[in-house]
Amino acid sequence: MNVALCLLVYGGVVALFGPSVLQRLTHSGAAPRLGVVAWLVAIVGALGSWLLAAGMLFVEFATYWHADVAVRVCVDALSTPVNEASPTLRAVSFAVAAVVITGTGVVLWRSVRILLRMRRRTLEHARAVLLVGRSRPDLGAVVLDSPQPQAYCVAGRPDAIVVTSAALDALAPDQLTAVLAHERAHLRGRHAAPTAFVRGLATILPRVRLLTVGAEEINRLLEMCADDEAARRHGAEPLLGGLIALVGAGTAIPAHAMNAAATAVVARAERLVSPASAMRRATNRTALLGVITATMMGMLEVAAGLLICSWIFG
């Protein structure tokens, strides 16, 4: 049980201190792809440690279901004399295990339901767009008649890039090309998957800042990744002009779509105008790699250290 408790504590530490550390390192977008990886590693590390701890508790209490034996296993693992296993300790031990196991099961069940529902809505919207809109093979997009200038992409079967008739009127040819390249970068990179994953978890656990802040930051960073690819292909100036022309018109876009002009437009515009220096990018990448390595090794070190100690002193 001591390994499970340490894993619970480790996950709590990552969830508590991770948001402030990662937000400081990734907010500027100096290394957006690595920033996304850092957030996902922290989220998976925290949730994985809690899930592993719950699994260990479940196996332990399923194997030693009789109260006296289960408590004996717990107090032996915690190096506590067995004669201290009072009825209160029995109750507390089973209550902790029951809460952890039940809570984990509920979170997993709700996560699967929300992710499946989000995926179904995305597919339905993509199919509806292809039916209602006008296909433009020369643009690689579907055109919808709308008075609002909008451009966004929806991951479906097949994927769809949507641009409104008002956007075609508002954007210059080079701006339209850059905006469409931005949306194609989202689809090629499969950016919708991590965004939906973290958003779904944040919906289930809204009090966990690692998830709520992480969902916002991952969305920002993925938009910056798409900005970088579009700017490399078509230049920063046309993309910046396209974003400015579309900003503020994304209110009717579905939540599961990725919209070029609906997320942190000011910060992204500043980043396009004044990109980070090579030294700053290198420093930021080094710091992020250190955080990623520490997060990945932390859980392994906790488990390995406790197992070694139990082998030495067991």
Side-chain angles (χ1 to χ4, degrees):
M1 181 177 279
N2 53 355
V3 177
L5 292 177
C6 286
L7 288 172
L8 289 173
V9 172
Y10 167 77
V13 170
V14 174
L16 182 62
F17 297 105
S20 58
V21 173
L22 289 173
Q23 201 169 21
R24 192 177 302 115
L25 291 175
T26 63
H27 198 71
S28 65
R33 284 185 176 82
L34 204 57
V36 172
V37 173
W39 276 103
L40 291 177
V41 166
I43 291 170
V44 173
L47 298 182
S49 64
W50 292 337
L51 184 61
L52 181 59
M56 295 174 68
L57 288 172
F58 176 80
V59 170
E60 185 168 319
F61 277 81
T63 305
Y64 305 102
W65 188 250
H66 189 273
D68 293 335
V69 179
V71 174
R72 183 181 296 276
V73 171
C74 289
V75 295
D76 286 348
L78 294 169
S79 301
T80 306
V82 177
N83 55 18
E84 294 182 15
S86 62
T88 302
L89 181 58
R90 289 192 182 96
V92 170
S93 300
F94 275 94
V96 170
V99 168
V100 172
I101 294 169
T102 304
T104 302
V106 171
V107 168
L108 288 175
W109 172 247
R110 292 187 61 190
S111 299
V112 171
R113 288 185 61 189
I114 287 178
L115 291 174
L116 289 176
R117 184 166 62 247
M118 291 174 65
R119 181 59 176 165
R120 185 174 62 253
R121 289 178 179 175
T122 300
L123 295 175
E124 290 173 354
H125 185 80
R127 285 194 294 267
V129 164
L130 293 173
L131 289 174
V132 175
R134 303 189 308 273
S135 178
R136 286 282 303 271
D138 57 322
L139 298 177
V142 176
V143 178
L144 291 180
D145 292 324
S146 173
Q148 288 187 319
Q150 299 172 348
Y152 60 94
C153 65
V154 182
R157 296 174 182 171
D159 300 331
I161 296 176
V162 181
V163 60
T164 63
S165 55
L168 294 179
D169 296 334
L171 298 174
D174 59 343
Q175 294 173 348
L176 177 61
T177 301
V179 169
L180 293 177
H182 174 100
E183 301 303 338
R184 280 192 289 271
H186 280 314
L187 295 177
R188 276 196 300 268
R190 297 296 173 189
H191 293 170
T195 302
F197 170 71
V198 182
R199 281 179 181 172
L201 292 175
T203 302
I204 299 167
L205 301 171
R207 295 184 180 276
V208 180
R209 289 189 68 248
L210 181 65
L211 299 177
T212 55
V213 177
E216 296 176 0
E217 290 298 312
I218 287 173
N219 194 26
R220 289 177 72 258
L221 293 168
L222 289 175
E223 291 294 341
M224 292 177 180
C225 290
D227 286 345
D228 289 345
E229 186 166 340
R232 278 196 300 270
R233 292 174 179 269
H234 304 286
E237 186 176 346
L239 177 62
L240 180 58
L243 293 177
I244 293 173
L246 297 176
V247 69
T251 54
I253 292 176
H256 47 265
M258 302 199 74
N259 177 17
T263 303
V265 177
V266 175
R268 290 162 54 203
E270 293 175 350
R271 183 173 174 272
L272 289 171
V273 172
S274 302
S277 64
M279 179 62 70
R280 184 177 180 185
R281 289 197 300 270
T283 303
N284 192 260
R285 288 192 182 99
T286 302
L288 286 172
L289 285 172
V291 170
I292 292 170
T293 302
T295 305
M296 293 177 67
M297 294 300 295
M299 185 168 62
L300 296 176
E301 289 177 356
V302 169
L306 289 171
L307 290 174
I308 291 173
C309 289
S310 64
W311 177 71
I312 293 176
F313 299 104

